[in-house]
Amino acid sequence: MCDLFGVFCISFILTVIKIPIIIDYCDWFELYDDLEFHRKCHGLGTSRLGGVAIFSAFMLSMLLLLNIQNDEVVALLISTGVVFFIGLKDDILGGVLPVEKVQVQFLAAVVLVFIGDYKITSMYGLFGIYELSELSAAVLSIGTVVFVVNAFNFIDGVDGLAGTIGFIVNISFGILFLKLGNTTMALVSFGITGAIAGFLRYNFVSGTVFMGDGGSMLIGLISISSALRFLTLNGQNVLDADIADLSPAIALAILIVPVFDGIRVILLRLSRGKSPFAGDKNHIHHKLKFLGFSDVSIVLILACFNVWILILAFSLSFLNITELIGVLFCVCIIFNIWITYKKRKKKLIPM
């Protein structure tokens, strides 16, 4: 417990110290988040390099406290570095094509799966499927990593949203790893939550700094790495037999906000003949913004929804895996239908 508290504090303090320096640096060189301003929900002239503080604080805390000779740790640190730097390149220079980001994310996913052994090896009976072949496990795991990394990037459109959801996701996995007795992954989770907490001090209300693609993709990769490791660990070391077979549903519940929004937006874009990575204003946070909610309200609504879904998943542990995941998605669909209905209703009201 002391190590977990220590890694949280180290990451938090380092991030809090570094962000003002980064803001001054961005002011000097005018490195602002003014690209694609038409689909942003914030003002002009704000630093987008908050991810630099998150990444450096996280990496330093990991190097101090983790065994870097462990393949699991090495794979995670390499993949986070690869994803962060392609995001940072876009944050500083711009012009990085979506296909280039996906290629780098694919490379990071390959490192995770084949070096760190972060993979989905079983479907736990979902749709009647149990053990997966090596090829199926690798393909599914790599695809899942790439999707979740982009899903976190998608929700980074409102002050505090990606950071708050990232905090909830990783503190949840940290607690689960603590219960499963995996100190290494618990340190990873608490390390990134400390860095995120330090970042949110400057970003949550009327953000003075944004995490940028580097930060959001970094958090997404660590989050999905934790989810994949949780599936493996819970299958090997069951503390509660009632929820052992529901591990994928628990992981989904923790990641529900970026996952559901990502699936919904990608399907919507494909149905309109657009690239799944084409920017637009169809995300859930954009809909809530249109309804008149402030940034703080949007963050609180989606954060509470995330926590409520997680509580719901544990409360419905008597269901089988297929039924539980079906219920979780039905709740999300109803939530989305309600928001869409309110949005359309507002459009019909004369201004």
Side-chain angles (χ1 to χ4, degrees):
M1 286 298 293
C2 290
D3 285 345
L4 297 179
F5 180 73
V7 74
F8 181 94
C9 290
I10 290 171
S11 295
F12 176 83
I13 292 170
L14 287 173
T15 307
V16 168
I17 291 172
K18 290 178 179 181
I19 285 183
I21 299 172
I22 290 170
I23 292 173
D24 289 342
Y25 175 85
C26 290
D27 286 342
W28 182 265
F29 291 99
E30 297 185 352
L31 298 174
Y32 299 134
D33 190 36
D34 298 342
L35 299 175
E36 296 182 313
F37 176 69
H38 66 280
R39 64 186 183 88
K40 304 288 185 177
C41 295
H42 53 70
L44 292 166
T46 303
S47 166
R48 59 180 181 271
L49 299 185
V52 174
I54 297 174
F55 174 75
S56 58
F58 169 75
M59 290 294 285
L60 182 57
S61 63
M62 293 299 98
L63 292 173
L64 287 173
L65 295 172
L66 292 184
N67 176 14
I68 59 174
Q69 295 181 341
N70 184 323
D71 287 346
E72 174 185 23
V73 175
V74 170
L76 180 62
L77 296 185
I78 290 175
S79 59
T80 53
V82 168
V83 165
F84 168 73
F85 282 111
I86 189 64
L88 179 63
K89 179 183 177 183
D90 196 31
D91 293 332
I92 295 176
L93 302 176
V96 178
L97 298 174
V99 67
E100 295 179 81
K101 292 182 184 178
V102 171
Q103 288 171 346
V104 173
Q105 292 160 4
F106 178 84
L107 175 62
V110 168
V111 171
L112 278 176
V113 171
F114 291 104
I115 297 179
D117 201 33
Y118 292 82
K119 64 177 67 172
I120 302 169
T121 57
S122 173
M123 296 294 287
Y124 291 79
L126 181 63
F127 304 123
I129 303 172
Y130 287 88
E131 297 305 311
L132 297 172
S133 66
E134 284 293 323
L135 178 61
S136 298
V139 171
L140 180 60
S141 301
I142 290 171
T144 302
V145 170
V146 173
F147 169 73
V148 173
V149 169
N150 281 288
F152 265 91
N153 194 23
F154 289 166
I155 66 169
D156 185 28
V158 170
D159 290 342
L161 181 56
T164 300
I165 297 301
F167 184 93
I168 293 171
V169 167
N170 286 283
I171 200 69
S172 299
F173 279 124
I175 294 169
L176 290 172
F177 286 132
L178 189 59
K179 291 186 176 182
L180 288 168
N182 189 283
T183 305
T184 297
M185 290 307 297
L187 286 170
V188 169
S189 296
F190 279 87
I192 193 63
T193 52
I196 293 171
F199 167 78
L200 287 174
R201 181 180 182 277
Y202 298 92
N203 174 255
F204 189 74
V205 181
S206 298
T208 55
V209 64
F210 304 129
M211 65 174 64
D213 285 3
S216 61
M217 292 196 297
L218 166 69
I219 294 171
L221 188 129
I222 294 172
S223 298
I224 188 56
S225 299
S226 295
L228 296 178
R229 183 58 76 224
F230 167 68
L231 295 180
T232 303
L233 291 173
N234 203 41
Q236 296 172 347
N237 184 15
V238 178
L239 297 182
D240 189 340
D242 292 334
I243 66 169
D245 293 335
L246 300 178
S247 295
I250 301 301
L252 172 64
I254 294 173
L255 292 163
I256 195 65
V257 171
V259 167
F260 179 72
D261 185 60
I263 292 173
R264 187 187 64 81
V265 169
I266 287 175
L267 290 177
L268 184 60
R269 290 170 183 171
L270 290 175
S271 69
R272 295 176 176 177
K274 297 181 178 180
S275 165
F277 303 103
D280 56 35
K281 301 193 76 168
N282 290 315
H283 296 284
I284 290 178
H285 58 267
H286 288 132
K287 290 186 174 185
L288 291 172
K289 190 78 172 179
F290 179 82
L291 292 177
F293 289 102
S294 66
D295 287 1
V296 174
S297 298
I298 292 170
V299 173
L300 291 176
I301 289 169
L302 294 178
C304 289
F305 181 75
N306 202 149
V307 173
W308 182 74
I309 286 288
L310 182 55
I311 294 171
L312 181 66
F314 279 104
S315 301
L316 298 178
S317 60
F318 56 87
L319 298 176
N320 65 43
I321 182 68
T322 304
E323 292 170 340
L324 181 52
I325 289 180
V327 168
L328 296 182
F329 271 111
C330 283
V331 171
C332 291
I333 291 169
I334 292 170
F335 179 57
N336 181 63
I337 289 173
W338 176 78
I339 294 174
T340 302
Y341 166 76
K342 298 292 287 185
K343 181 182 177 183
R344 289 178 179 175
K345 186 176 179 181
K346 184 175 180 179
K347 282 183 178 180
L348 295 175
I349 299 175
M351 301 301 289

